[in-house]
Amino acid sequence: MSYLEWAESQLAEIELLISMFPTQEELEMTDQLALAELRDYVECSDPADSPPACRPQFLLKQKLDTASMERTDVILSCAYPSEYPSVLPEVTVRCSGLSRAQQTQLHTDLNAYLMENCQGEVCVLSAVDWVKDNLRLFINESLLTAPAPKKESASPRPQEVFSRLWIYSHHIYNKIKRKNILEWSKELGLSGFSMPGKPGIVCVEGPQSACEEFWSRVKVLTWKKIMIRHREDIPLDRQGEDSGPIESVDSLRKFTGFEEAMFDPHGNRGNHMDLGQLYQFLNEKGCCDVFQIYFGIEGR
């Protein structure tokens, strides 16, 4: 199939979804410009033309009944690669009723189902139906397998840990991924920054449990390459060398809030950052040693 034929399939599926989920509470197109460009490409382009750079992205919002809750909110975040449906779309599922382990397993099972049954075909509705059929099982199973509370004497309080994760990605272009990174970091109370482009860099810092939750969400998205390049873990219930007060999460932060940082974007697609400016930014935050860990050279 050509890019134009793929685009025609994408537009037909989006128009079907809009007819089935007509309100913003059910279907939210997060990039209206991308949809307009896709429609213009299908209606006005020559088959030899390249597809638009902006890719359609949308949120499907569902409410499901489960044994544990009257109504559970479920959000499917979808993005189309240019070659969809010959390749699978990027689909992530958000549900507050799932643990981190269940969330990871749900994505794994969903991608396996789509790979086996929907390769080469539009499949967002199939993904929605699969989630409806299987999400209840995940939530209900967690209730059945949850251990009964034990009546024991109070156990020692788990040691709290402050973490800082330095994440490396081959590139970060996708608008939905960039939006997720910003929203998830704020939701989890993490500070740090993300640098889109090629390469992509994300730093998050805060309670270890929140950092691990952030990483569990990010790593299941579709990436060419992503890893934790470096991490720092500092126990909080230890006293300083001078036997001073116990350190707190906020006292160990090197960033205030979380931001998307741009450093003089350049290149044909504006996707390369000035690494000299990145080094100065890290140096100001007291993190310049990480530059060599990322790039293998000392900054200046």
Side-chain angles (χ1 to χ4, degrees):
M1 296 179 69
S2 66
Y3 280 111
L4 183 57
E5 290 172 311
W6 288 325
E8 289 171 346
S9 297
Q10 295 169 22
L11 183 61
E13 182 176 49
I14 289 176
E15 290 178 339
L16 174 62
L17 293 171
I18 291 174
S19 69
M20 296 179 64
F21 308 104
T23 68
Q24 278 280 101
E25 288 70 29
E26 299 170 289
L27 173 63
E28 178 184 347
M29 298 300 302
T30 56
D31 194 337
Q32 292 289 345
L33 177 60
L35 176 58
E37 290 183 351
L38 176 66
R39 181 173 283 110
D40 183 66
Y41 176 69
V42 169
E43 296 174 353
C44 307
S45 296
D46 184 272
D49 292 343
S50 298
C54 295
R55 307 308 309 148
Q57 303 167 1
F58 53 88
L59 303 176
L60 274 167
K61 306 170 186 178
Q62 302 286 299
K63 291 184 179 293
L64 303 182
D65 294 317
T66 66
S68 60
M69 313 171 203
E70 292 185 358
R71 302 288 274 178
T72 301
D73 291 327
V74 183
I75 299 177
L76 280 78
S77 173
C78 306
Y80 287 165
S82 299
E83 297 84 1
Y84 174 73
S86 71
V87 299
L88 294 179
E90 296 180 1
V91 180
T92 58
V93 183
R94 294 289 311 282
C95 174
S96 60
L98 296 181
S99 68
R100 184 172 67 201
Q102 289 174 316
Q103 192 97 9
T104 300
Q105 189 61 50
L106 179 71
H107 283 116
T108 300
D109 293 354
L110 173 59
N111 285 329
Y113 169 80
L114 296 178
M115 183 71 71
E116 181 178 350
N117 297 278
C118 304
Q119 192 76 34
E121 301 177 1
V122 293
C123 62
V124 171
L125 281 177
S126 296
V128 172
D129 290 339
W130 187 92
V131 170
K132 286 181 177 179
D133 292 339
N134 290 272
L135 185 63
R136 297 181 183 89
L137 301 178
F138 276 86
I139 295 177
N140 295 341
E141 181 183 357
S142 68
L143 295 175
L144 294 174
T145 58
K150 297 180 181 179
K151 295 182 179 180
E152 297 179 352
S153 57
S155 57
R157 181 176 58 87
Q159 184 182 51
E160 296 183 51
V161 177
F162 173 89
S163 291
R164 184 177 297 112
L165 305 184
W166 296 93
I167 299 169
Y168 169 89
S169 173
H170 179 270
H171 63 266
I172 303 176
Y173 298 146
N174 186 282
K175 291 182 179 178
I176 277 195
K177 290 177 183 174
R178 291 165 62 180
K179 182 180 179 183
N180 284 341
I181 288 169
L182 290 169
E183 291 182 347
W184 292 342
S185 61
K186 292 176 181 176
E187 173 193 338
L188 296 168
L190 299 173
S191 48
F193 75 98
S194 64
M195 184 186 82
K198 182 179 180 181
I201 292 175
V202 180
C203 171
V204 289
E205 60 178 9
Q208 186 178 65
S209 59
C211 289
E212 295 294 351
E213 172 65 19
F214 177 87
W215 173 238
S216 74
R217 297 182 188 182
V218 167
K219 69 180 181 181
V220 298
L221 303 177
T222 303
W223 302 93
K224 182 171 183 178
K225 180 180 181 181
I226 193 166
M227 67 178 74
I228 296 177
R229 180 60 64 84
H230 179 60
R231 69 179 298 151
E232 304 165 56
D233 296 300
I234 304 172
L236 291 180
D237 56 353
R238 65 182 178 88
Q239 300 214 337
E241 295 178 358
D242 58 354
S243 299
I246 295 175
E247 293 170 311
S248 67
V249 168
D250 288 340
S251 71
L252 294 171
R253 294 184 191 269
K254 294 188 176 182
F255 299 89
T256 303
F258 192 94
E259 62 176 330
E260 184 175 81
M262 309 283 279
F263 304 103
D264 189 20
H266 59 279
N268 293 335
R269 297 175 57 185
N271 58 359
H272 292 279
M273 300 294 169
D274 186 319
L275 296 185
Q277 291 187 21
L278 170 63
Y279 175 79
Q280 293 300 325
F281 174 77
L282 294 174
N283 190 40
E284 291 172 2
K285 301 296 183 180
C287 306
C288 58
D289 55 321
V290 177
F291 189 89
Q292 186 169 10
I293 294 174
Y294 270 114
F295 302 105
I297 57 175
E298 294 186 3
R300 56 183 180 178

